[in-house]
């Protein structure tokens, strides 16, 4: 099926979503033809959508290219759950970073992926490729496994059915092995990642659960292989996640985080 045929069957929202998804984290700007190539949409369709998005400030003109506009970020800041999570978690995450001197993340599960809501990088820790708003396959991250371990079985099966791509030398690509590890995480409350999201990356994570049931987020400490023994960080991240969960349960924001 050619791009123009797909255009006639896809909703306008779907096509606009594909335009935005064409932008990668390293892209300062893209031309209409490149957006069309990446999105699979017809150039004429992309041109029309881009023109309207620029008019409404979701994109902005940068010479012959366009980039993500200010209005897009303004609306992003109004997203309820990430905003409430940031307000609740910042103090606990700062304390955790100070205690461990490592990079601390807070992420939420979205379908088969995790989305990073907060990243507090320690100045003494090595740089990592994660970023706020960035996505990673849930099965390939410590924080993702912490969340999947407490997710409904149907969610786990959806992740497995979608495929378990290898991102690093330690990525779990076998569904049976993933289920076994998730059972261990449920028992201990701590998830470990050993070069699963990428070479040299290690992580320890725990779910943030205000009440019995599905976690609202995952908290993690990430670093580079050989920098620190992640087993020694497990109790710290677990304690911080429990404290954050209790804080969320007590706060009025709980109603908006369920």
């Amino acid at each position: 099926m050619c791009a123009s045929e797909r255009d006639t069957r896809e909703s306008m929202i779907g096509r606009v979503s594909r335009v935005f998804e064409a932008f990668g984290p390293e892209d300062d700007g893209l031309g209409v033809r490149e957006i069309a190539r990446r999105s699979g949409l017809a150039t004429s369709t992309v041109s029309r959508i881009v023109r309207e998005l620029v008019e409404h400030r979701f994109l902005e003109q940068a010479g012959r290219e366009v980039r993500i506009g200010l209005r897009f970020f303004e609306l992003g800041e109004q997203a309820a759950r990430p905003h409430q999570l940031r307000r609740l978690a910042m103090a606990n995450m700062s304390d955790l970073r100070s205690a461990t001197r490592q990079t601390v993340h807070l992420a939420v599960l979205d379908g088969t992926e995790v989305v990073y809501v907060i990243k507090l990088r320690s100045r003494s820790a090595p740089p990592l490729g994660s970023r706020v708003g960035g996505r990673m396959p849930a099965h390939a991250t410590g924080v993702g496994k912490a969340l999947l371990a407490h997710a409904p079985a149907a969610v786990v099966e959806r992740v497995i059915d979608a495929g378990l791509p290898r991102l690093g030398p330690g990525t779990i690509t076998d569904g049976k092995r993933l289920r076994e590890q998730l059972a261990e995480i449920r028992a201990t409350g701590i998830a470990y990642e050993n070069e699963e999201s990428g070479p040299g990356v290690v992580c320890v994570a725990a779910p943030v659960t205000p009440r019995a049931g599905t976690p609202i987020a995952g908290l993690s400490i990430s670093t580079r292989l050989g920098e620190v023994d992640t087993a020694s960080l497990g109790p710290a991240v677990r304690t911080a996640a429990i404290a954050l969960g209790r804080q969320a349960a007590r706060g009025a924001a709980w109603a908006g985080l369920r």
Side-chain angles (χ1 to χ4, degrees):
M1 182 181 294
C2 69
S4 60
E5 289 174 328
R6 289 200 302 272
D7 290 353
T8 61
R9 300 185 181 185
E10 189 172 18
S11 70
M12 174 57 73
I13 295 298
R15 283 175 277 177
V16 170
S17 177
R18 282 211 265 165
V19 167
F20 282 125
E21 289 170 358
F23 289 85
E26 305 301 323
D27 294 320
D28 291 328
L30 294 175
V32 168
R33 290 185 182 276
E34 180 61 17
I35 296 173
R37 185 188 70 80
R38 295 186 184 187
S39 67
L41 296 169
T43 302
S44 59
T45 299
V46 172
S47 180
R48 183 174 64 254
I49 292 173
V50 165
R51 187 166 55 249
E52 292 190 28
L53 290 174
V54 168
E55 180 181 346
H56 291 281
R57 298 190 298 124
F58 289 102
L59 294 177
E60 61 184 29
Q61 206 72 44
R64 294 185 177 183
E65 298 181 333
V66 291
R67 59 194 177 198
I68 301 297
L70 181 61
R71 183 59 178 153
F72 194 87
F73 289 109
E74 290 173 344
L75 290 179
E77 283 298 308
Q78 296 175 24
R81 184 164 63 152
H83 184 70
Q84 291 168 337
L85 282 172
R86 283 196 296 270
R87 187 171 63 246
L88 282 170
M90 193 60 72
N92 280 9
M93 291 180 66
S94 295
D95 289 344
L96 186 60
R97 178 180 61 178
S98 297
T100 63
R101 303 182 68 186
Q102 301 300 325
T103 298
V104 181
H105 293 99
L106 189 77
V108 296
L109 187 65
D110 184 24
T112 62
E113 300 176 312
V114 289
V115 180
Y116 292 100
V117 178
I118 306 176
K119 176 181 179 179
L120 295 185
R121 185 192 167 196
S122 172
R123 293 181 179 179
S124 61
L128 298 167
S130 55
R131 63 181 179 86
V132 173
R135 291 174 174 267
M136 291 288 287
H139 76 281
T141 67
V143 70
K145 291 189 296 182
L147 292 169
L148 287 177
H150 299 275
V155 173
V156 176
E157 294 309 310
R158 186 159 62 245
V159 168
I160 294 172
D161 291 342
L164 304 174
R166 183 179 298 279
L167 301 185
T171 307
I172 297 175
T173 58
D174 177 72
K176 180 181 178 181
R177 185 182 168 205
L178 179 62
R179 293 187 192 95
E180 291 173 349
Q181 191 168 115
L182 295 181
E184 293 177 7
I185 294 168
R186 277 193 297 275
T188 63
I190 303 173
Y192 292 95
E193 174 197 340
N194 185 22
E195 294 191 286
E196 295 169 46
S197 62
V201 179
V202 293
C203 170
V204 57
V208 176
T209 309
R211 297 177 182 176
T214 303
I216 59 170
L219 184 66
S220 73
I221 301 171
S222 301
T223 186
R224 286 285 177 182
L225 184 67
E227 291 290 325
V228 65
D229 178 16
T230 53
S232 68
L233 300 176
V237 74
R238 176 63 175 151
T239 300
I242 291 173
L244 179 55
R246 289 173 178 170
Q247 182 182 353
R250 288 195 302 268
W254 160 249
L257 294 173
R258 283 185 292 187

